[in-house]
Amino acid sequence: MNCFKSISTQEQTIQKSRFIGYTFTGETKQDILRTLQSIAKEHPHGSHLAFAYQLKTDHGFEPYYSDAGEPSGTAGKPLLQLIDAHQIVGGGIGVIRYYGGINLGTGGLTRAYGGTGKLALAHSVIEPYVEYINLKLTINYNELDNYTHVIHSMNGSILDKVFNEKVSLSIRLPEGEFGKLKARFPMVDINHF
């Protein structure tokens, strides 16, 4: 599977209709909906906002698309096919259409939405998808610098620090690094959250 390392916005005009394609990221449906609302707010006079995305959930990979009022399968479906072809997860593609007065027909719509999505995709950077886990651990104050260095060297990040008698760290770590962290610090109690 893959994800977007960087996103893109690309535009083209097809028979007087203006199409603006976006790639975007999001880990949850709420993230995706916020992004789509932001795109819609940016284009209040756009006729349609078709989109497709795929998320990783507890039940596996869940794809979704919307034709946004265009004829069934002509707008969101070609965007979902691009996501499938590039095995994108944790993100999607949206295309705003400003209707130009000329009907494109179902084939023309499919090519326009798919082509605009492909254009946005081509200007995005794609990288392998990494699944992350969230962990909590409690350490001594004098160990904080060492743990911080190790967590960052494993491409993890510290989400929160709570200072009491000891330091409680909430971290985000690539799932494949969990065994290495446990092996490196066998005496530390590490819990999922």
Side-chain angles (χ1 to χ4, degrees), residues 2-187:
N2 298 303
C3 63
F4 292 119
K5 181 177 181 179
S6 72
I7 56 175
S8 164
T9 303
Q10 297 295 314
E11 182 176 333
Q12 63 179 340
T13 301
I14 300 170
Q15 294 192 18
K16 297 186 180 180
S17 282
R18 182 176 164 213
F19 292 87
I20 306 166
Y22 292 83
T23 54
F24 54 85
T25 61
E27 293 184 24
T28 66
K29 188 174 181 179
Q30 291 75 24
D31 292 343
I32 299 290
L33 293 176
R34 273 193 296 275
T35 299
L36 292 169
Q37 287 170 348
S38 175
I39 292 170
K41 193 179 287 186
E42 191 177 325
H43 298 278
H45 302 294
S47 310
H48 305 276
L49 171 53
F51 60 89
Y53 62 86
Q54 181 166 238
L55 298 174
K56 170 80 168 79
T57 70
D58 295 338
H59 309 291
F61 296 104
E62 292 187 7
Y64 182 82
Y65 76 88
S66 170
D67 291 313
E70 294 283 27
S72 181
T74 62
K77 191 171 185 178
L79 300 177
L80 185 60
Q81 290 169 340
L82 290 169
I83 288 170
D84 285 343
H86 289 85
Q87 298 183 327
I88 300 295
V89 68
I93 305 169
V95 175
I96 287 275
R97 178 185 185 195
Y98 285 87
Y99 181 63
I102 297 174
N103 289 329
L104 302 179
T106 57
L109 285 171
T110 300
R111 286 188 296 277
Y113 278 99
T116 304
K118 188 174 184 178
L119 194 60
L121 191 63
H123 286 84
S124 301
V125 177
I126 297 172
E127 66 182 358
Y129 174 73
V130 176
E131 193 157 343
Y132 286 85
I133 54 174
N134 293 328
L135 304 168
K136 274 194 182 295
L137 50 129
T138 304
I139 59 173
N140 294 318
Y141 278 81
N142 63 346
E143 299 172 319
L144 182 58
D145 287 343
N146 186 31
Y147 275 84
T148 300
H149 174 73
V150 169
I151 291 164
H152 286 118
S153 73
M154 294 177 167
N155 294 317
S157 58
I158 296 175
L159 305 174
D160 191 28
K161 299 176 195 172
V162 177
F163 297 93
N164 290 312
E165 283 183 34
K166 293 189 171 202
V167 182
S168 293
L169 296 178
S170 298
I171 66 170
R172 185 171 189 249
L173 194 69
E175 190 172 46
E177 299 291 334
F178 178 66
K180 294 176 192 172
L181 185 69
K182 289 281 287 180
R184 180 93 186 248
F185 303 109
M187 304 304 289

